[in-house]
Amino acid sequence: MDSALRRGSLEMVGAMLISGTIGWFVLVSGQPVLEVVFWRCVFGTATLLVICAAFGLLKVGVIGRTALLWAVVSGAAIVGNWVLLFASYSRASIAIGTAVYNVQPFILVGLAALFLGEKITVAKVTWLSVAFLGMLAIVSAHGAGQASGEDYLLGIAMALGAAFLYALAALIIKRLQGTPPHLIALIQVATGVVLLAPWVESGGLPGEPSALASLVTLGMVHTGLMYVLLYSAIQRLPTALTGALSFIYPIAAILVDWVAFGHRLAPLQWLGVGLILLAAAGMQQGWWWRPARVVVKG
């Protein structure tokens, strides 16, 4: 393995491990979801401003007006995605919310077919069906220490909504090829500050050290540092390896939920999580059955 590939792999692993702990910091903060997302955007904006300045990305002309507008729209989708995903944690658990959230590749396929005219192949339909079976398994079961009834189903619906908004943001970002990704991230979190400011209480940051530390960490580490690691890794790694390493995120989130909060999945839920991750991996890696060629010797 050459040095670039090794470095990219380490950066991707680091980014995914950081992502896997987001739910823990959200719940430990003890703050309302809107305030968690707002302060994440505030501290993320401050961190990404420094990063973009260091890369020389704050110059006039780096991004055009149309690209700026699309970046703002994608920011609105990303912020909505965070709000719904974080709200799902307290209702369906971090593990289930994250697992359901991983249906986003299939939503993106549907949006791309609808708006970009991309073809939906038999392989994609098959993997989508596998993921849907996984969803049914998760919805029909409850694990130890998890919410039940309407709260549980609401949490799953929120995670699905978050996945839809993320897929929508990803579709928009496809239009921003050539725009520095760190600058896109900065515009997204700055958009979040503007959108959420009217909805946040004017009391300022929480006084509890644990809550304050959680919010600062979500902004600086889970937004600023993670974006740097993620985008650097994407630039160095082949797409297949990037997709494979991305599954560290849900696995890490499930382990964190188990260790930190004692949320144990029921056997049927484990089956559902496994089916969703298998389907997402199969689609991203292009796994599909191909008949062996028969060579006829003359």
Side-chain angles (χ1 to χ4, degrees):
M1 180 183 293
D2 60 50
S3 59
L5 196 60
R6 184 181 300 107
R7 178 176 173 180
S9 297
L10 290 174
E11 288 171 336
M12 189 67 184
V13 169
M16 294 301 97
L17 288 176
I18 290 172
S19 296
T21 63
I22 287 178
W24 186 83
F25 282 93
V26 169
L27 295 183
V28 166
S29 73
Q31 303 302 301
V33 169
L34 286 180
E35 293 197 21
V36 172
V37 177
F38 173 75
W39 289 113
R40 180 185 186 182
C41 289
V42 169
F43 291 116
T45 298
T47 305
L48 286 165
L49 270 172
V50 174
I51 293 170
C52 288
F55 282 105
L57 301 178
L58 300 181
K59 301 174 183 176
V60 176
V62 174
I63 184 171
R65 291 183 180 179
T66 302
L68 175 61
L69 177 60
W70 281 117
V72 169
V73 174
S74 74
I78 286 292
V79 170
N81 148 70
W82 287 344
V83 170
L84 290 176
L85 182 61
F86 292 176
S88 76
Y89 292 155
S90 61
R91 292 171 173 84
S93 84
I94 295 171
I96 294 302
T98 303
V100 172
Y101 182 63
N102 272 271
V103 304
Q104 55 188 263
F106 303 100
I107 298 176
L108 182 58
V109 166
L111 291 176
L114 187 61
F115 294 106
L116 302 181
E118 294 185 7
K119 293 182 179 180
I120 298 181
T121 64
V122 174
K124 290 178 180 178
V125 171
T126 301
W127 288 124
L128 176 60
S129 301
V130 172
F132 181 70
L133 290 175
M135 278 289 304
L136 290 180
I138 288 175
V139 169
S140 63
H142 300 285
Q146 293 173 344
S148 58
E150 292 182 1
D151 255 6
Y152 181 76
L153 294 178
L154 179 59
I156 290 176
M158 286 178 165
L160 280 173
F164 173 80
L165 289 177
Y166 183 89
L168 183 62
L171 191 69
I172 293 171
I173 291 172
K174 283 179 174 286
R175 302 177 62 98
L176 301 176
Q177 291 181 357
T179 304
H182 300 90
L183 185 58
I184 295 174
L186 172 60
I187 295 169
Q188 289 174 336
V189 291
T191 300
V193 174
V194 175
L195 289 177
L196 295 178
W199 303 96
V200 176
E201 295 182 6
S202 57
L205 286 164
E208 301 86 353
S210 61
L212 179 59
S214 296
L215 296 179
V216 172
T217 303
L218 282 169
M220 297 184 68
V221 177
H222 292 86
T223 306
L225 176 59
M226 191 190 74
Y227 269 117
V228 173
L229 291 175
L230 180 62
Y231 289 145
S232 179
I234 289 173
Q235 290 173 349
R236 289 184 170 88
L237 298 177
T239 303
L241 184 55
T242 301
L245 292 176
S246 68
F247 289 97
I248 293 174
Y249 162 46
I251 294 170
I254 290 171
L255 290 175
V256 166
D257 198 25
W258 179 24
V259 173
F261 301 105
H263 290 160
R264 291 173 173 81
L265 302 183
L268 193 56
Q269 288 178 315
W270 274 117
L271 175 62
V273 170
L275 288 174
I276 289 175
L277 298 184
L278 173 64
M283 195 182 73
Q284 289 189 12
Q285 301 300 309
W287 296 339
W288 189 241
W289 175 81
R290 292 179 178 85
R293 293 182 179 180
V294 179
V295 178
V296 180
K297 296 183 179 179

